[in-house]
Amino acid sequence: MIYKRILGQGLTFIMVLLFIIVAGSVILSKISGGTPTFYGYQLKSVLSGSMEPVIHTGSIVAIKPGGDTSGFKKGDIITFHADENRLITHRIVEVVRNEQTNQVIYRTKGDSNDAPDIEPVLSANVVGRYTGFTIPYVGYILSFAGTKLGNVTLLIVPGLMLFIYAVISLWKTISSLEEKKQGSSIEEANPKTT
């Protein structure tokens, strides 16, 4: 009986914590402009196979934003703006520094691509450096969470599960109390004599 209660309380705690984390991350990402962050690192979805086998399609990667974007070297993996709405994570294959303007341009290439990217990357377009932290397949979920349907699903489904769990727990508690009440009523009606 004690194990069931501890298991039930543990499950309740986990459900509440999960709901708070999911709801909080969705709300915070919307408030901050849509980029989920975790302790100062940005989490980005990788939806192409250009960096396989280092980064698999559907993974999320942690990017360390900011810093000196002109200080990267050959071999570093960076995330940069290819255009206004598209981010790319590729490896630097060449660093070109214009001595007159002191501007840095990176030539990049996806590890599984045959040739370097056509457009060079200005250091001003670099979002951050790949930290080496990857979680496979979670990028699909993160991309789904960015949609309207994903927002609704990730807020409503955990809340609905928590509500159903609360109703079941309440029903079991009420049933248990009624059984105890009926048991004590029977004892009062038939007192034991010795």
Side-chain angles (χ1 to χ4, degrees):
M1 192 66 151
I2 293 173
Y3 295 117
K4 284 185 181 180
R5 187 171 28 162
I6 291 172
L7 183 64
Q9 289 173 349
L11 188 58
T12 301
F13 176 75
I14 289 170
M15 292 290 287
V16 169
L17 185 65
L18 214 129
F19 178 74
I20 290 169
I21 289 171
V22 169
S25 68
V26 170
I27 292 168
L28 287 175
S29 69
K30 288 300 173 188
I31 290 171
S32 68
T35 303
T37 59
F38 187 73
Y39 292 104
Y41 293 91
Q42 291 183 358
L43 303 178
K44 303 290 184 188
S45 299
V46 177
L47 300 177
S48 78
S50 65
M51 284 300 292
E52 288 189 0
V54 175
I55 304 171
H56 293 285
T57 305
S59 299
I60 60 168
V61 295
I63 303 297
K64 181 66 176 170
D68 181 16
T69 59
S70 63
F72 297 112
K73 59 186 182 305
K74 182 178 178 179
D76 287 345
I77 299 175
I78 58 171
T79 298
F80 56 91
H81 286 283
D83 55 43
E84 197 172 299
N85 299 319
R86 194 168 53 116
L87 290 173
I88 295 177
T89 300
H90 278 175
R91 189 179 305 276
I92 296 173
V93 293
E94 182 184 6
V95 179
V96 179
R97 184 178 299 273
N98 184 331
E99 297 299 330
Q100 295 171 347
T101 62
N102 205 27
Q103 184 178 26
V104 175
I105 298 174
Y106 301 110
R107 299 228 181 262
T108 57
K109 177 184 173 294
D111 287 356
S112 67
N113 292 350
D114 294 332
D117 300 333
I118 295 171
E119 294 293 322
V121 179
L122 298 173
S123 61
N125 291 343
V126 176
V127 174
R129 181 182 54 83
Y130 169 61
T131 63
F133 179 78
T134 303
I135 303 175
Y137 307 114
V138 178
Y140 293 124
I141 298 168
L142 196 61
S143 294
F144 176 68
T147 65
K148 288 181 182 180
L149 178 62
N151 283 332
V152 170
T153 303
L154 290 176
L155 284 173
I156 290 177
V157 169
L160 187 60
M161 289 173 63
L162 190 60
F163 177 75
I164 290 169
Y165 179 74
V167 168
I168 291 170
S169 295
L170 185 61
W171 177 73
K172 285 181 178 180
T173 303
I174 291 171
S175 297
S176 173
L177 290 174
E178 286 179 356
E179 286 175 10
K180 286 180 183 179
K181 187 176 180 183
Q182 286 177 353
S184 64
S185 296
I186 292 171
E187 285 182 15
E188 287 176 8
N190 300 324
K192 293 183 181 179
T193 56
T194 51

